[in-house]
Amino acid sequence: MGTLVPLNRTTDMQDRIAPGTESAPTPGADLGCASASDHERRKAMSSRKLRVTGSSPERRPEISAEIAARTGIDDSLIERLVRAFYGRAAKDPLLGPIFDRHVADWEAHITKLCDFWSSVALMTGRYQGTPMTTHMPLPLTPEAFDRWLNLFSQAAREVCPEVAANHFIERAHRIASSLEMGAATRRGELVAPRQPPGAVTARDP
C-alpha cells in the first residue's frame, strides 16, 4: 500500500456491474467511425455507460434474489452485521473519534448504512447517497482503512455464514480501495489499489 502507480480512471466505490450484465459493443456504435454523427456518437457513449455502470431497475429484483439465494444475505443479516461492526467502530480508539465528530443520530445513521450495504451486497439500489463526496473531508489515513477493514472482517466472520462473510468482506475491500484512492487523489497523490482478500501478489525472483 502506498505504491505510486498511474491512475487512468475513476473507481466507483460500489460494485454495480452484475454478473452477466456487462454490455457487448452496440452494433453500429463504433465511436471511432467517421461516418457516425456527433449526436449518434454521444448517444452510443451514453447508452454504453448506462449499461456498464449498473443494472436496469427492472432487473434489480431478479439480481438481488439470485445473490440472496447464493449467499444467504437478507435485510436481517445486513442489519445484524451493520450493528455489530459499527458498534465496535464507534468505540475504537482510532475510528471512534471520527464517528463522534460526524454522527449525531446513530439510529438514523444505522438505517442509512443498512440501505448502503443492501445496495453494495445485494445490488438493490436502495442507497441514493454519494459516499465518495461524504467521506472525502474525513481524516482517511491508511491506518484508518486498515482498522476499518480488520474490524469489519472480524464482525462479518462472527455474524455471517462463511459464504455471506466472504461476499461482504470482498466488497468491503473494494470500498476501502476506492475511498483510499479517492482520498489520495484529493491530496495530489496516486496509490495502488488494495489487493482483494486472498489475492496472490507477485514476488521478486
Side-chain angles (χ1 to χ4, degrees):
M1 185 170 58
T3 304
L4 296 179
V5 296
L7 184 63
N8 56 16
R9 65 185 179 89
T10 301
T11 305
D12 186 355
M13 73 172 296
Q14 295 194 41
D15 175 26
R16 302 186 64 188
I17 302 178
T21 62
E22 298 85 352
S23 63
T26 304
D30 184 354
L31 300 183
C33 179
S35 62
S37 68
D38 291 340
H39 173 73
E40 290 170 338
R41 286 198 296 270
R42 287 194 296 269
K43 183 177 179 181
M45 183 179 294
S46 176
S47 176
R48 283 185 180 183
K49 184 178 180 181
L50 285 174
R51 287 197 298 273
V52 171
T53 56
S55 59
S56 65
E58 293 78 11
R59 288 207 60 207
R60 280 177 184 161
E62 175 188 347
I63 294 170
S64 298
E66 185 279 325
I67 298 173
R70 174 165 47 85
T71 63
I73 296 173
D74 58 16
D75 288 344
S76 176
L77 183 60
I78 290 172
E79 182 174 355
R80 292 201 304 274
L81 174 58
V82 165
R83 289 189 179 278
F85 165 60
Y86 288 96
R88 299 178 188 184
K91 299 176 182 178
D92 182 77
L94 178 60
L95 301 180
I98 299 175
F99 285 110
D100 288 341
R101 288 193 296 269
H102 296 278
V103 178
D105 185 341
W106 264 105
E107 280 306 308
H109 196 56
I110 289 292
T111 298
K112 183 182 296 185
L113 290 168
C114 287
D115 287 344
F116 172 75
W117 281 103
S118 174
S119 292
V120 170
L122 296 177
M123 296 186 64
T124 59
R126 279 166 41 184
Y127 180 76
Q128 300 298 316
T130 54
M132 187 68 75
T133 302
T134 300
H135 286 78
M136 283 306 93
L138 306 180
L140 300 175
T141 64
E143 293 76 18
F145 283 113
D146 289 341
R147 185 71 58 83
W148 189 89
L149 284 171
N150 287 337
L151 290 179
F152 185 89
S153 297
Q154 291 173 15
R157 296 292 181 203
E158 292 175 12
V159 171
C160 306
E162 182 177 2
V163 174
N166 290 339
H167 187 81
F168 278 118
I169 292 169
E170 190 270 341
R171 277 147 184 79
H173 274 261
R174 294 189 190 187
I175 292 168
S177 182
S178 179
L179 286 175
E180 188 169 32
M181 292 172 69
T185 301
R186 192 168 185 261
R187 297 191 302 268
E189 303 170 2
L190 298 177
V191 299
R194 286 175 174 263
Q195 292 294 321
V200 178
T201 57
R203 296 183 179 181
D204 294 332

